[in-house]
Amino acid sequence: MNVNQFPDRIIEIDQEQYLYFGGTSYLGLPTNKIFQDLVVKNILKWGTTYGSSRNANIKLTAYDDGETFLAQHIKAEAAVTVSSGMLAGKIVIEQLNKETDCYFHFPDLHPAIKVNNSFPVFINNKINPRLLDAKEEKITVLTDGVPSYQTKAVDLSVLKEIPNHKVITLVVDESHSLGILGINGAGIYSEIDLPIKRKIMISSLGKAFGLTGGVIASDLSFINQIKKLDIFVSAAGMNPAFVQTLSDAASVYITQHQKLLENLDYISTKLIPKDSIKFNKIYPLIYLEAAAVSETLFKNKIIVAHFKYQENAKDLNRIVITANHSTADLDQIITVLNHY
């Protein structure tokens, strides 16, 4: 279906209005007037793009402002922005290839941090014996903050079972948890307290944070290593107007996050629990086990996310709740789900 306007809570198709519960605009920022005004103000100051290397002799203070905000918000020692979440993942993997003997991954990993010849953390629902052997090595564990088809943060407790002669680096893709989980949407990075050498967070900023770009957060030493990589030095940075907006919109992120939590709490009081519906009151995705539900919703003028996300994967059927949905919107979709 093609639409000729941004798909916010309402979209028009063939001159008919539908409620929209898809996309990834969790905080509803792309159409938020206060947020838009900040973006426009910063475009007028910083231009529409800046194609120079971040290591050029001219440095823009927008990057200092935005990256300082991100580090403080995520509660990391340092953070750096890049042009996309996908690039953030690929840059991190390029650096880790120099210092990793072996990779392991949690299930349903996003392509941004997938690595060839990586081993699964679990085999037949048990920890991979390869993680428990006597070999001394540096390993990197890769995971999404919230795995696909799940509605809560990944359980990392299995890492406690790994013996300490395995030196662990943990990489977490928080594209679908930054801005959503944690205090004020800080994500899960700061809550990870495990016997590991280093933790690294990467995320798209084009989801909850409403701006095209990506972020890498970790300790200062690792971020400084990233800034020396050829792939970072030779690439243009994230749009400086957008990076400045990150800092300027700090209070907007908090306000919209609170609205999102209020919408989720409202749903939890009205939605009848069913095995065919996967919902968690602190997470804005509702997964539908029966694909036919999306057809019933469509007949009731409600559109949800319904497509194949990756090759050879099952169809994705999910409802996306945003901060912009009204109580009336929520009542309509809850009514259909309760009667299905």
Side-chain angles (χ1 to χ4, degrees):
M1 291 176 282
N2 296 321
V3 297
N4 60 6
Q5 76 283 321
F6 182 84
D8 193 29
R9 49 175 287 274
I10 293 176
I11 58 177
E12 187 173 290
I13 299 172
D14 297 330
Q15 299 181 323
E16 289 192 75
Q17 286 195 337
Y18 291 77
L19 284 178
Y20 184 56
F21 287 86
T24 58
S25 179
Y26 304 118
L27 299 184
L29 292 169
T31 58
N32 181 283
K33 183 64 167 57
I34 297 173
F35 190 74
Q36 287 180 336
D37 287 346
L38 290 174
V39 173
V40 171
K41 179 195 76 172
N42 282 316
I43 287 176
L44 293 175
K45 178 177 180 178
W46 294 106
T48 58
T49 188
Y50 186 66
S52 180
S53 167
R54 287 288 304 274
N55 280 25
N57 56 315
I58 297 298
K59 313 289 186 187
L60 306 188
T61 58
Y63 292 109
D64 292 333
D65 293 344
E67 290 166 357
T68 297
F69 161 75
L70 284 171
Q72 292 173 346
H73 186 77
I74 296 164
K75 298 181 178 62
E77 194 171 286
V80 66
T81 54
V82 292
S83 59
S84 73
M86 182 66 77
L87 182 59
K90 298 306 181 187
I91 288 178
V92 165
I93 297 301
E94 176 167 319
Q95 176 59 33
L96 292 178
N97 284 340
K98 303 173 183 177
E99 52 194 75
T100 298
D101 297 319
C102 189
Y103 286 95
F104 292 85
H105 62 272
F106 277 74
D108 300 317
L109 194 66
H110 191 277
I113 53 173
K114 276 187 177 177
V115 176
N116 291 333
N117 303 317
S118 176
F119 295 99
V121 170
F122 297 104
I123 296 178
N124 296 325
N125 296 318
K126 294 183 179 180
I127 188 170
N128 189 334
R130 176 73 173 72
L131 283 165
L132 305 175
D133 65 25
K135 186 176 182 180
E136 296 184 11
E137 59 187 344
K138 298 175 182 177
I139 67 170
T140 294
V141 178
L142 310 165
T143 185
D144 288 351
V146 179
S148 298
Y149 307 105
Q150 301 301 315
T151 58
K152 60 182 179 179
V154 63
D155 181 0
L156 298 171
S157 59
V158 67
L159 301 187
K160 296 177 183 178
E161 299 179 34
I162 302 172
N164 59 16
H165 56 263
K166 306 284 189 184
V167 180
I168 305 171
T169 293
L170 175 67
V171 180
V172 183
D173 184 337
E174 289 217 54
S175 296
H176 296 279
S177 52
L178 179 63
I180 302 168
L181 298 180
I183 298 173
N184 294 327
I188 69 172
Y189 176 90
S190 65
E191 299 172 3
I192 298 171
D193 184 15
L194 293 164
I196 59 179
K197 175 193 174 185
R198 167 174 280 155
K199 58 182 178 178
I200 303 164
M201 180 268 242
I202 70 107
S203 179
S204 166
L205 296 169
K207 316 294 186 192
F209 272 37
L211 296 163
T212 302
V215 60
I216 303 165
S218 189
D219 56 87
L220 180 60
S221 175
F222 184 78
I223 296 303
N224 284 338
Q225 288 177 321
I226 291 294
K227 291 179 178 179
K228 295 174 184 176
L229 289 175
D230 288 347
I231 192 172
F232 178 83
V233 174
S234 61
M238 182 176 168
N239 186 325
F242 290 174
V243 182
Q244 182 67 58
T245 299
L246 289 166
S247 175
D248 294 350
S251 63
V252 183
Y253 289 125
I254 294 173
T255 299
Q256 293 301 105
H257 181 251
Q258 183 59 38
K259 289 180 180 179
L260 177 62
L261 292 182
E262 289 170 1
N263 278 348
L264 296 176
D265 186 64
Y266 181 81
I267 293 172
S268 73
T269 66
K270 303 285 186 179
L271 184 65
I272 298 172
K274 297 180 181 180
D275 291 340
S276 60
I277 298 173
K278 185 182 291 186
F279 171 66
N280 180 340
K281 67 177 290 183
I282 63 169
Y283 198 65
L285 300 183
I286 302 175
Y287 285 99
L288 308 172
E289 295 297 327
V293 182
S294 61
E295 298 173 10
T296 301
L297 289 166
F298 185 75
K299 290 176 182 177
N300 284 271
K301 298 290 183 67
I302 299 171
I303 295 175
V304 301
H306 175 63
F307 62 97
K308 190 178 291 294
Y309 185 57
Q310 295 184 34
E311 189 178 0
N312 301 321
K314 64 180 180 180
D315 285 350
L316 188 68
N317 292 285
R318 72 184 182 197
I319 295 166
V320 181
I321 311 301
T322 77
N324 285 354
H325 284 120
S326 68
T327 301
D329 298 339
L330 301 178
D331 283 337
Q332 288 191 53
I333 198 164
I334 290 168
T335 297
V336 175
L337 294 177
N338 284 347
H339 287 85
Y340 181 77

